[in-house]
Amino acid sequence: MDVQGKRTIPLTPAQTWEALNSTQMLKSCIPGCESVTQTGEGQFEVVQVLNIANYKTRFSSTLTLEDVNPPHSYVLRFEGNGGNAGFGLGRALIALQPTDGGTQMNYQASAEVGGAIAQMGQSAVDLAVKGLIEDFFSRFERNARGDESARMPGSMVERLWFMMPPWAWAISTLVAVFIIYWGMHGTW
């Protein structure tokens, strides 16, 4: 399965390169990311929770930069292990070109999965993996533009969690307990 595309980033190629190699930026752009740790020059360990074809699992992945040509291009190889859920392997070629107003980021990625998630239907898995790749590059573009919505988690509950202050959660919980109690007993 292959995905390719391009994005216009409102940063210079050097700034875009820096952002692509920032653990903080990677963590905010990788879907379901829990942590990103740089383990060496051009090597990162990533832990993420993914829901692929209705199979939710935690993946531990290794990202390795190859054929590095700063600030113009590199090949990103990734290997992910989801335990019983399976594995994911792939590579992405990322090329940066200066343009008026910033940088054009071209990407071409390929990935394959194996194990239990691969048995859930190739079209569903391909669609999910393509969605994850596109989601990463979309989040990267929005983050580079300074769009705060890019930093927000995807689901409605996750967004509410980050938007509501702790006192609002406490009140919401009390209201929910009241409604449940009243519904079960009809009176106080």
Side-chain angles (χ1 to χ4, degrees), residues 77-138:
R77 291 205 182 276
F78 53 92
E79 296 180 25
N81 184 346
N84 292 336
F87 65 89
L89 301 170
R91 67 185 289 275
L93 170 62
I94 299 171
L96 306 176
Q97 299 174 327
T99 63
D100 292 337
T103 301
Q104 180 174 304
M105 180 172 61
N106 300 302
Y107 59 92
Q108 183 176 1
S110 62
E112 64 179 81
V113 296
I117 55 176
Q119 298 171 6
M120 304 193 97
Q122 193 62 42
S123 62
V125 171
D126 283 353
L127 187 62
V129 172
K130 283 181 181 181
L132 290 170
I133 293 169
E134 288 293 337
D135 192 17
F136 171 84
F137 287 107
S138 177

Side-chain angles (χ1 to χ4, degrees), residues 37-167:
T37 306
Q38 187 165 7
T39 58
E41 185 66 31
Q43 294 184 336
F44 302 90
E45 293 291 327
V46 176
V47 176
Q48 64 191 126
V49 176
L50 295 175
N51 189 351
I52 299 177
N54 294 323
Y55 204 100
K56 187 174 182 178
T57 190
R58 173 174 274 118
F59 273 83
S60 295
S61 303
T62 302
L63 306 178
T64 305
L65 305 183
E66 298 177 347
D67 300 329
V68 179
N69 181 17
H72 306 290
S73 65
Y74 63 73
V75 173
L76 174 68
R77 291 205 182 276
F78 53 92
E79 296 180 25
N81 184 346
N84 292 336
F87 65 89
L89 301 170
R91 67 185 289 275
L93 170 62
I94 299 171
L96 306 176
Q97 299 174 327
T99 63
D100 292 337
T103 301
Q104 180 174 304
M105 180 172 61
N106 300 302
Y107 59 92
Q108 183 176 1
S110 62
E112 64 179 81
V113 296
I117 55 176
Q119 298 171 6
M120 304 193 97
Q122 193 62 42
S123 62
V125 171
D126 283 353
L127 187 62
V129 172
K130 283 181 181 181
L132 290 170
I133 293 169
E134 288 293 337
D135 192 17
F136 171 84
F137 287 107
S138 177
R139 287 180 185 203
F140 183 84
E141 180 183 6
R142 289 192 319 260
N143 274 334
R145 292 183 184 285
D147 183 353
E148 286 296 316
S149 68
R151 293 170 179 80
M152 298 300 270
S155 76
M156 177 67 91
V157 172
E158 288 175 324
R159 278 183 265 163
L160 283 173
W161 178 263
F162 285 99
M163 289 172 32
M164 290 175 60
W167 60 265

